[in-house]
């Protein structure tokens, strides 16, 4: 093998390795949005669905097929360690009719002496019910800013899709748990020396 041929092979190998590294980097950046899309479409990992008013109205029409069947919804609220808030559901459980819209409230209070902006992440258990739990309106759709000592009620308008009754893996579920966790929203100007309000 000549020196020129060896150099060409080395160049080709180097270019292929560089292209592979670029492809992996691109996949790394695309992984989070692609995984989020996958979870929202399939309900994987207990990801709930977002519904429009029209979809909710259609579900209520189909609720007649559910013959007034009900399901218990358990509400859970927690905060990340860096969020100096008190956050909890007003009622820990509600019994709702499948296919009908229902409203639940959480309360949040900023226990610090500075404004705090939080973003809520959510999950549904058991996982197989996530695709049937539809939120029409939710405080989790946007960031929430609470002033020092401020307390607010945060609504969640939701329904459980009657299609859950046709799913062999979900039709016998007696209780769905909706969990929220508030995390501090990133703010580069925020002072990290908050102290609890006295």
């Amino acid at each position: 093998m000549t020196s020129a041929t060896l150099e060409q092979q080395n160049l080709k190998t180097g270019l292929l390795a560089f292209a592979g590294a670029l492809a992996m980097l691109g996949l790394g950046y695309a992984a989070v949005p692609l995984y989020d899309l996958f979870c929202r479409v399939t309900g994987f990992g207990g990801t709930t669905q977002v519904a429009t008013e029209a979809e909710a109205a259609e579900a209520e029409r189909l609720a007649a097929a559910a013959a007034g069947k009900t399901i218990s919804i358990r509400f859970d609220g927690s905060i990340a360690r860096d969020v100096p808030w008190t956050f909890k559901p007003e009622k820990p459980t509600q019994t709702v009719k499948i296919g009908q819209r229902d409203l639940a409230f959480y309360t949040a209070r900023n226990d610090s002496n500075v404004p705090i902006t939080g973003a809520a992440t959510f999950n549904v258990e058991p996982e197989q019910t996530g695709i049937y739990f539809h939120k029409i309106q939710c405080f989790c759709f946007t960031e929430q800013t609470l002033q020092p000592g401020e307390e607010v009620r945060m609504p969640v308008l939701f329904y459980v899709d009657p299609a859950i009754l046709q799913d062999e893996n979900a039709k016998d579920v007696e209780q769905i748990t909706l969990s929220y966790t508030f995390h501090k929203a990133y703010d580069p100007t925020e002072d990290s020396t908050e102290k609890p309000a006295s």
Side-chain angles (χ1 to χ4, degrees):
M1 186 179 292
T2 67
S3 173
T5 306
L6 186 58
E7 281 183 26
Q8 286 177 340
Q9 284 184 340
N10 286 343
L11 180 62
K12 184 178 178 182
T13 301
L15 288 174
L16 285 174
F18 182 70
L22 282 179
M24 294 304 248
L25 182 65
L27 285 174
Y29 278 105
V32 172
L34 288 175
Y35 180 75
D36 184 56
L37 177 64
F38 171 76
C39 289
R40 290 187 185 281
V41 169
T42 65
F44 181 76
T47 302
T48 61
Q49 306 300 301
V50 177
T52 64
E53 286 288 341
E55 290 169 332
E58 176 64 13
E60 285 182 345
R61 188 182 69 73
L62 295 174
K69 290 191 178 181
T70 60
I71 191 164
S72 173
I73 308 296
R74 182 169 111 31
F75 301 97
D76 181 51
S78 62
I79 54 169
R81 283 190 272 188
D82 64 341
V83 180
W85 287 7
T86 300
F87 174 65
K88 62 185 178 183
E90 286 189 350
K91 291 182 182 177
T93 59
Q94 284 179 225
T95 300
V96 302
K97 288 186 178 178
I98 293 176
Q100 289 190 355
R101 285 178 262 201
D102 213 302
L103 187 62
F105 286 93
Y106 282 75
T107 58
R109 185 181 69 240
N110 181 352
D111 297 324
S112 76
N113 59 2
V114 295
I116 301 287
T117 299
T121 57
F122 53 86
N123 194 16
V124 168
E125 289 291 332
E127 288 184 10
Q128 69 267 28
T129 62
I131 196 166
Y132 303 111
F133 195 95
H134 295 266
K135 291 184 289 187
I136 304 162
Q137 296 174 358
C138 182
F139 61 86
C140 62
F141 293 163
T142 59
E143 294 179 347
Q144 305 293 322
T145 300
L146 299 184
Q147 298 303 314
E150 181 181 11
E151 183 169 322
V152 295
R153 293 177 82 211
M154 299 179 172
V156 182
L157 182 61
F158 67 93
Y159 69 92
V160 178
D161 191 329
I164 194 171
L165 299 173
Q166 308 304 316
D167 186 331
E168 289 297 320
N169 293 322
K171 69 179 183 180
D172 295 325
V173 171
E174 295 177 357
Q175 186 175 69
I176 297 174
T177 300
L178 176 63
S179 298
Y180 289 100
T181 301
F182 259 104
H183 301 272
K184 190 179 287 187
Y186 176 71
D187 182 358
T189 63
E190 188 175 277
D191 180 14
S192 61
T193 60
E194 307 104 22
K195 297 178 182 78
S198 50

